[in-house]
Amino acid sequence: MDDVYDFGLRLKNLRRRKKLTQKQLGDLLQVTKDTISHYENNTQTPSVAKIVQLAIYLNTSTDYLLGRTNKKEINI
């Protein structure tokens, strides 16, 4: 289903791959668990700064989160 762009689904899958709860990811981003839930359900859009933080914490690119590529991981 990755061929269809869905920000929330991509975020949820990446979070689960890292074995993080919504609360744990929220704590890293300094937002609430509810905010992460809203991101994952596509009812709230994170700021550019939060998207960058998400990419860093989840070891992915902003391009992947934003649907510009299907390559999940980046190697540094």
Side-chain angles (χ1 to χ4, degrees), residues 11-60:
L11 175 59
K12 183 185 293 186
N13 288 338
L14 288 167
R15 176 181 59 77
R16 287 181 174 171
R17 254 177 106 177
K18 291 287 188 180
K19 296 181 171 54
L20 293 170
T21 65
Q22 289 179 336
K23 176 163 180 10
Q24 290 168 323
L25 184 57
D27 289 347
L28 288 170
L29 266 73
Q30 298 180 329
V31 298
T32 65
K33 170 190 153 317
D34 289 340
T35 298
I36 299 299
S37 177
H38 289 301
Y39 293 167
E40 291 182 358
N41 289 308
N42 296 309
T43 57
Q44 185 176 340
T45 303
S47 67
V48 172
K50 294 298 181 198
I51 292 171
V52 170
Q53 287 180 310
L54 284 166
I56 291 167
Y57 293 136
L58 298 173
N59 192 37
T60 193

